[in-house]
Amino acid sequence: MATAGALMGSSGCGLLGGAEQQSSGNSQVEKANLRVGALPTAELAPLYLAAEAGHFQREGLNVEIVPASDGGAALNSAIGGDLDITFSSYVPIFAAQAKGVANLKIVADCMSAVPNSCLIMSGPNSGVRTAQDLAGKRIAISGPGTISELLVKASMKANDVPFDKVQMVPLGFINMPNALKAGQVDAAMVVEPFLTLAARDADAVPVLDTTAGPLEDLPLGGYVSNSEFAEQNPKTVAAFQRAMTASVAEAQDRAKIEPLLPKFAKIDKETASIITLLKLNARADATRLQRVPRLMLEFGYISKDVDVASMIIKPPQS
Protein backbone atom coordinates (compact mmCIF):
# COMPACT_ATOMS: atom_id res chain seq x y z
CA MET A 1 0.00 0.00 0.00
CA ALA A 2 2.96 2.32 0.32
CA THR A 3 2.79 2.26 -3.42
CA ALA A 4 -0.60 3.94 -3.75
CA GLY A 5 0.03 6.96 -5.96
CA ALA A 6 -2.81 8.99 -7.45
CA LEU A 7 -3.55 8.20 -11.08
CA MET A 8 -2.00 10.80 -13.36
CA GLY A 9 -4.25 12.76 -15.68
CA SER A 10 -5.17 11.12 -18.95
CA SER A 11 -3.51 13.92 -20.89
CA GLY A 12 -0.11 13.15 -19.38
CA CYS A 13 2.66 12.04 -21.69
CA GLY A 14 2.95 8.75 -19.79
CA LEU A 15 -0.31 7.60 -21.36
CA LEU A 16 0.84 8.30 -24.90
CA GLY A 17 3.14 6.21 -27.03
CA GLY A 18 5.77 4.39 -25.05
CA ALA A 19 8.67 2.12 -25.78
CA GLU A 20 8.25 -0.08 -28.82
CA GLN A 21 8.25 -3.76 -27.93
CA GLN A 22 11.37 -5.63 -28.97
CA SER A 23 11.26 -9.13 -30.35
CA SER A 24 13.32 -11.02 -27.79
CA GLY A 25 11.58 -14.33 -27.37
CA ASN A 26 12.98 -17.81 -26.88
CA SER A 27 11.65 -21.34 -27.02
CA GLN A 28 9.63 -20.77 -23.83
CA VAL A 29 8.17 -17.26 -24.17
CA GLU A 30 7.41 -14.61 -26.79
CA LYS A 31 9.35 -11.93 -24.92
CA ALA A 32 12.17 -12.96 -22.63
CA ASN A 33 13.37 -9.54 -21.49
CA LEU A 34 10.76 -7.91 -19.27
CA ARG A 35 10.67 -4.49 -17.62
CA VAL A 36 8.61 -4.73 -14.44
CA GLY A 37 7.70 -1.63 -12.43
CA ALA A 38 8.13 -1.79 -8.67
CA LEU A 39 8.47 0.28 -5.52
CA PRO A 40 10.85 -0.17 -2.58
CA THR A 41 8.21 -1.52 -0.22
CA ALA A 42 8.14 -4.71 1.83
CA GLU A 43 5.13 -6.27 0.12
CA LEU A 44 7.08 -6.57 -3.14
CA ALA A 45 9.57 -8.96 -1.53
CA PRO A 46 8.32 -11.93 -3.61
CA LEU A 47 9.17 -10.05 -6.83
CA TYR A 48 12.76 -9.52 -5.69
CA LEU A 49 12.91 -13.07 -4.34
CA ALA A 50 11.78 -14.41 -7.73
CA ALA A 51 14.72 -12.61 -9.34
CA GLU A 52 17.31 -13.66 -6.75
CA ALA A 53 16.13 -17.25 -6.34
CA GLY A 54 16.01 -17.95 -10.07
CA HIS A 55 12.25 -18.40 -10.45
CA PHE A 56 12.13 -16.04 -13.43
CA GLN A 57 15.18 -17.55 -15.06
CA ARG A 58 13.71 -21.05 -14.86
CA GLU A 59 10.69 -19.76 -16.79
CA GLY A 60 12.87 -18.30 -19.54
CA LEU A 61 12.52 -14.73 -18.32
CA ASN A 62 15.11 -12.03 -17.78
CA VAL A 63 13.35 -9.49 -15.55
CA GLU A 64 14.59 -5.95 -15.07
CA ILE A 65 12.96 -4.49 -11.97
CA VAL A 66 12.43 -0.80 -12.70
CA PRO A 67 12.03 1.49 -9.64
CA ALA A 68 9.10 3.94 -9.78
CA SER A 69 8.28 6.98 -7.67
CA ASP A 70 4.75 5.76 -6.91
CA GLY A 71 2.14 3.30 -8.12
CA GLY A 72 0.38 5.85 -10.31
CA ALA A 73 3.56 6.74 -12.18
CA ALA A 74 4.37 3.06 -12.69
CA LEU A 75 0.85 2.40 -13.93
CA ASN A 76 1.10 5.18 -16.49
CA SER A 77 4.33 3.68 -17.77
CA ALA A 78 2.65 0.30 -18.22
CA ILE A 79 -0.34 1.88 -19.97
CA GLY A 80 2.03 3.64 -22.35
CA GLY A 81 4.18 0.56 -22.94
CA ASP A 82 7.38 1.73 -21.24
CA LEU A 83 6.88 -1.09 -18.73
CA ASP A 84 5.64 -4.55 -19.67
CA ILE A 85 4.13 -5.33 -16.28
CA THR A 86 3.91 -3.19 -13.17
CA PHE A 87 2.87 -3.26 -9.58
CA SER A 88 0.32 -0.68 -8.45
CA SER A 89 -2.30 -0.34 -5.78
CA TYR A 90 -5.76 -1.32 -6.97
CA VAL A 91 -7.32 2.14 -6.59
CA PRO A 92 -5.55 3.74 -9.59
CA ILE A 93 -5.88 0.47 -11.53
CA PHE A 94 -9.65 0.36 -11.18
CA ALA A 95 -9.95 4.14 -11.60
CA ALA A 96 -8.18 3.92 -14.97
CA GLN A 97 -10.38 1.02 -16.05
CA ALA A 98 -13.64 2.64 -14.94
CA LYS A 99 -12.82 5.96 -16.59
CA GLY A 100 -11.78 4.37 -19.88
CA VAL A 101 -8.22 5.68 -19.58
CA ALA A 102 -6.86 2.21 -20.28
CA ASN A 103 -7.77 -1.41 -20.84
CA LEU A 104 -5.79 -3.22 -18.15
CA LYS A 105 -5.25 -6.88 -17.38
CA ILE A 106 -4.49 -8.19 -13.91
CA VAL A 107 -1.56 -10.58 -14.23
CA ALA A 108 -1.14 -11.45 -10.54
CA ASP A 109 -2.33 -10.41 -7.13
CA CYS A 110 0.26 -9.10 -4.69
CA MET A 111 -1.02 -8.47 -1.19
CA SER A 112 -4.01 -7.85 1.05
CA ALA A 113 -4.50 -6.19 4.40
CA VAL A 114 -3.97 -7.81 7.76
CA PRO A 115 -4.75 -6.32 11.18
CA ASN A 116 -2.19 -3.81 12.51
CA SER A 117 -0.57 -3.28 9.11
CA CYS A 118 -2.28 -0.02 8.08
CA LEU A 119 -2.96 2.20 11.08
CA ILE A 120 -4.11 5.74 11.68
CA MET A 121 -1.59 6.93 14.28
CA SER A 122 -1.35 10.15 16.23
CA GLY A 123 1.49 12.14 17.69
CA PRO A 124 2.17 12.12 21.43
CA ASN A 125 0.83 15.65 21.95
CA SER A 126 -2.03 15.70 19.45
CA GLY A 127 -4.81 14.82 21.88
CA VAL A 128 -6.12 12.26 19.37
CA ARG A 129 -6.52 8.89 21.03
CA THR A 130 -9.81 7.41 19.78
CA ALA A 131 -11.59 7.14 16.44
CA GLN A 132 -14.06 9.82 17.57
CA ASP A 133 -11.18 12.24 18.16
CA LEU A 134 -10.39 12.18 14.41
CA ALA A 135 -13.44 14.24 13.45
CA GLY A 136 -12.36 17.55 11.94
CA LYS A 137 -8.64 16.85 12.38
CA ARG A 138 -5.64 17.02 10.00
CA ILE A 139 -4.85 13.51 8.78
CA ALA A 140 -1.85 12.77 6.58
CA ILE A 141 -2.46 10.46 3.60
CA SER A 142 -0.15 9.42 0.79
CA GLY A 143 -2.13 11.46 -1.73
CA PRO A 144 -5.63 12.32 -2.99
CA GLY A 145 -7.47 9.53 -4.73
CA THR A 146 -5.27 6.86 -3.19
CA ILE A 147 -6.08 3.72 -1.29
CA SER A 148 -4.78 5.35 1.90
CA GLU A 149 -7.41 8.08 1.59
CA LEU A 150 -10.07 5.47 0.83
CA LEU A 151 -9.08 3.43 3.90
CA VAL A 152 -9.29 6.50 6.14
CA LYS A 153 -12.79 7.37 4.93
CA ALA A 154 -14.08 3.80 5.02
CA SER A 155 -12.72 3.05 8.48
CA MET A 156 -14.05 6.32 9.90
CA LYS A 157 -17.48 5.59 8.44
CA ALA A 158 -17.37 2.06 9.88
CA ASN A 159 -16.79 3.66 13.30
CA ASP A 160 -19.59 6.25 12.82
CA VAL A 161 -17.12 9.15 12.68
CA PRO A 162 -17.86 11.91 10.12
CA PHE A 163 -15.00 12.49 7.69
CA ASP A 164 -16.46 15.32 5.60
CA LYS A 165 -14.64 18.02 7.60
CA VAL A 166 -11.36 16.15 7.98
CA GLN A 167 -8.41 17.93 6.36
CA MET A 168 -6.60 15.31 4.29
CA VAL A 169 -2.93 16.33 4.08
CA PRO A 170 -0.96 14.75 1.20
CA LEU A 171 2.38 13.61 2.57
CA GLY A 172 4.83 10.91 1.57
CA PHE A 173 4.83 7.94 3.91
CA ILE A 174 8.53 8.49 4.58
CA ASN A 175 7.74 11.96 6.01
CA MET A 176 4.88 10.92 8.26
CA PRO A 177 6.84 9.94 11.40
CA ASN A 178 8.55 13.35 11.56
CA ALA A 179 5.30 15.17 10.78
CA LEU A 180 3.61 13.41 13.71
CA LYS A 181 6.51 14.18 16.01
CA ALA A 182 6.55 17.87 15.00
CA GLY A 183 2.76 18.24 15.30
CA GLN A 184 2.39 19.21 11.63
CA VAL A 185 -0.60 16.86 11.45
CA ASP A 186 -2.88 15.46 14.12
CA ALA A 187 -2.78 11.92 12.74
CA ALA A 188 -1.47 9.95 9.79
CA MET A 189 -2.48 6.84 7.85
CA VAL A 190 0.78 4.93 8.26
CA VAL A 191 1.94 1.66 6.72
CA GLU A 192 5.00 -0.50 7.31
CA PRO A 193 7.87 0.05 7.73
CA PHE A 194 6.94 3.64 8.62
CA LEU A 195 4.39 2.40 11.15
CA THR A 196 7.15 0.80 13.18
CA LEU A 197 9.43 3.81 12.66
CA ALA A 198 6.69 6.22 13.79
CA ALA A 199 6.19 4.29 17.02
CA ARG A 200 9.92 3.98 17.64
CA ASP A 201 11.17 7.41 16.62
CA ALA A 202 8.15 9.69 17.09
CA ASP A 203 6.35 8.05 20.03
CA ALA A 204 3.28 7.79 17.80
CA VAL A 205 0.36 5.75 19.10
CA PRO A 206 -2.27 3.73 17.22
CA VAL A 207 -5.73 5.27 17.00
CA LEU A 208 -7.63 3.21 14.43
CA ASP A 209 -6.84 0.06 12.50
CA THR A 210 -8.03 0.77 8.96
CA THR A 211 -7.84 -2.87 7.93
CA ALA A 212 -9.90 -4.46 10.70
CA GLY A 213 -13.56 -5.42 10.78
CA PRO A 214 -15.29 -4.94 7.39
CA LEU A 215 -11.99 -3.98 5.73
CA GLU A 216 -9.97 -6.98 6.89
CA ASP A 217 -8.23 -8.89 4.07
CA LEU A 218 -9.03 -6.09 1.62
CA PRO A 219 -6.89 -6.54 -1.53
CA LEU A 220 -4.43 -3.65 -1.76
CA GLY A 221 -2.35 -4.07 -4.90
CA GLY A 222 -1.31 -6.30 -7.76
CA TYR A 223 0.58 -6.66 -11.03
CA VAL A 224 -1.00 -5.46 -14.27
CA SER A 225 -0.20 -4.96 -17.94
CA ASN A 226 -2.02 -3.23 -20.74
CA SER A 227 -4.28 -5.56 -22.72
CA GLU A 228 -2.17 -5.30 -25.89
CA PHE A 229 0.89 -6.73 -24.16
CA ALA A 230 -1.14 -9.52 -22.54
CA GLU A 231 -2.79 -10.52 -25.82
CA GLN A 232 0.50 -10.52 -27.76
CA ASN A 233 2.50 -12.38 -25.12
CA PRO A 234 0.35 -15.09 -23.49
CA LYS A 235 3.27 -17.47 -22.85
CA THR A 236 5.28 -14.65 -21.30
CA VAL A 237 2.44 -13.70 -18.97
CA ALA A 238 1.93 -17.35 -17.99
CA ALA A 239 5.64 -17.70 -17.25
CA PHE A 240 5.56 -14.58 -15.04
CA GLN A 241 2.55 -15.98 -13.19
CA ARG A 242 4.24 -19.33 -12.56
CA ALA A 243 7.38 -17.61 -11.28
CA MET A 244 5.43 -15.37 -8.93
CA THR A 245 3.32 -18.27 -7.65
CA ALA A 246 6.47 -20.17 -6.78
CA SER A 247 8.05 -17.12 -5.18
CA VAL A 248 5.00 -16.23 -3.08
CA ALA A 249 4.85 -19.82 -1.83
CA GLU A 250 8.51 -19.57 -0.81
CA ALA A 251 7.95 -16.13 0.74
CA GLN A 252 5.46 -17.54 3.25
CA ASP A 253 8.62 -18.41 5.18
CA ARG A 254 9.58 -15.01 6.56
CA ALA A 255 13.20 -16.08 6.79
CA LYS A 256 13.31 -16.19 3.00
CA ILE A 257 12.41 -12.54 2.48
CA GLU A 258 13.57 -10.76 5.62
CA PRO A 259 17.22 -10.61 4.45
CA LEU A 260 16.07 -8.94 1.21
CA LEU A 261 14.26 -6.04 2.88
CA PRO A 262 17.34 -3.95 3.75
CA LYS A 263 18.48 -4.28 0.11
CA PHE A 264 15.42 -2.98 -1.74
CA ALA A 265 13.14 -1.52 0.94
CA LYS A 266 16.04 0.46 2.45
CA ILE A 267 15.28 -0.40 6.06
CA ASP A 268 17.71 -1.61 8.69
CA LYS A 269 17.89 -5.25 9.74
CA GLU A 270 16.32 -4.57 13.15
CA THR A 271 13.27 -2.91 11.62
CA ALA A 272 13.01 -5.65 8.99
CA SER A 273 12.83 -8.24 11.76
CA ILE A 274 9.83 -6.68 13.55
CA ILE A 275 7.59 -5.06 10.94
CA THR A 276 4.13 -6.49 10.30
CA LEU A 277 4.05 -8.04 6.85
CA LEU A 278 0.96 -7.92 4.70
CA LYS A 279 -0.70 -11.10 3.43
CA LEU A 280 1.21 -12.06 0.30
CA ASN A 281 -0.79 -13.46 -2.62
CA ALA A 282 -0.23 -14.50 -6.22
CA ARG A 283 -3.52 -15.75 -7.68
CA ALA A 284 -6.06 -12.99 -8.36
CA ASP A 285 -9.57 -13.87 -7.17
CA ALA A 286 -12.39 -11.87 -8.76
CA THR A 287 -14.74 -12.10 -5.78
CA ARG A 288 -12.14 -10.73 -3.38
CA LEU A 289 -10.88 -8.04 -5.75
CA GLN A 290 -14.41 -6.85 -6.57
CA ARG A 291 -14.58 -5.44 -3.03
CA VAL A 292 -12.22 -2.63 -4.03
CA PRO A 293 -14.16 -1.00 -6.92
CA ARG A 294 -17.40 -1.36 -4.98
CA LEU A 295 -15.81 0.51 -2.10
CA MET A 296 -14.50 3.10 -4.57
CA LEU A 297 -18.00 3.47 -6.03
CA GLU A 298 -19.49 3.95 -2.57
CA PHE A 299 -17.10 6.81 -1.79
CA GLY A 300 -17.27 8.48 -5.20
CA TYR A 301 -13.88 7.53 -6.62
CA ILE A 302 -15.56 6.09 -9.70
CA SER A 303 -19.02 6.57 -11.20
CA LYS A 304 -19.61 2.99 -12.29
CA ASP A 305 -18.61 -0.45 -11.11
CA VAL A 306 -15.80 -2.41 -12.72
CA ASP A 307 -16.12 -6.00 -13.93
CA VAL A 308 -12.98 -7.34 -12.26
CA ALA A 309 -13.42 -10.89 -13.57
CA SER A 310 -13.00 -9.67 -17.15
CA MET A 311 -9.68 -8.05 -16.22
CA ILE A 312 -8.04 -11.12 -14.68
CA ILE A 313 -5.76 -13.32 -16.77
CA LYS A 314 -6.28 -16.80 -15.42
CA PRO A 315 -2.96 -18.46 -14.60
CA PRO A 316 -2.02 -21.73 -16.27
CA GLN A 317 -3.15 -24.91 -14.57
CA SER A 318 -0.26 -26.46 -12.71
Side-chain angles (χ1 to χ4, degrees), residues 8 19 24 38 46 48 51-52 60 71 75 113 146 164 190 193 217 252 263:
M8 289 183 171
S24 58
Y48 291 88
E52 291 212 3
L75 182 60
T146 62
D164 54 328
V190 190
D217 199 32
Q252 301 307 312
K263 297 180 183 179

Side-chain angles (χ1 to χ4, degrees), residues 2 34 58 97 304:
L34 291 186
R58 281 188 287 275
Q97 193 77 6
K304 62 178 181 179

Side-chain angles (χ1 to χ4, degrees), residues 76-135:
N76 271 338
S77 293
I79 291 171
D82 294 319
L83 295 174
D84 301 306
I85 296 171
T86 192
F87 168 83
S88 177
S89 81
Y90 282 124
V91 168
I93 290 171
F94 293 135
Q97 193 77 6
K99 296 172 183 178
V101 171
N103 185 9
L104 297 169
K105 294 297 181 181
I106 299 171
V107 175
D109 194 15
C110 180
M111 78 288 194
S112 56
V114 298
N116 298 313
S117 63
C118 309
L119 300 179
I120 297 178
M121 303 185 78
S122 65
N125 301 315
S126 68
V128 175
R129 291 297 180 267
T130 68
Q132 285 66 35
D133 294 334
L134 293 169

Side-chain angles (χ1 to χ4, degrees), residues 16-24 31 33 35 77 80-84 228-229 232:
L16 304 175
E20 189 174 328
Q21 286 190 14
Q22 301 295 314
S23 177
S24 58
K31 187 175 184 183
N33 298 322
R35 286 168 53 83
S77 293
D82 294 319
L83 295 174
D84 301 306
E228 181 180 3
F229 175 83
Q232 293 178 357

Side-chain angles (χ1 to χ4, degrees), residues 170-208:
L171 193 66
F173 285 117
I174 194 171
N175 299 317
M176 290 183 184
N178 282 338
L180 288 172
K181 187 175 183 178
Q184 296 170 354
V185 293
D186 300 303
M189 218 302 293
V190 190
V191 300
E192 292 286 23
F194 309 107
L195 189 159
T196 295
L197 295 176
R200 186 186 71 186
D201 301 335
D203 295 323
V205 295
V207 176
L208 181 60

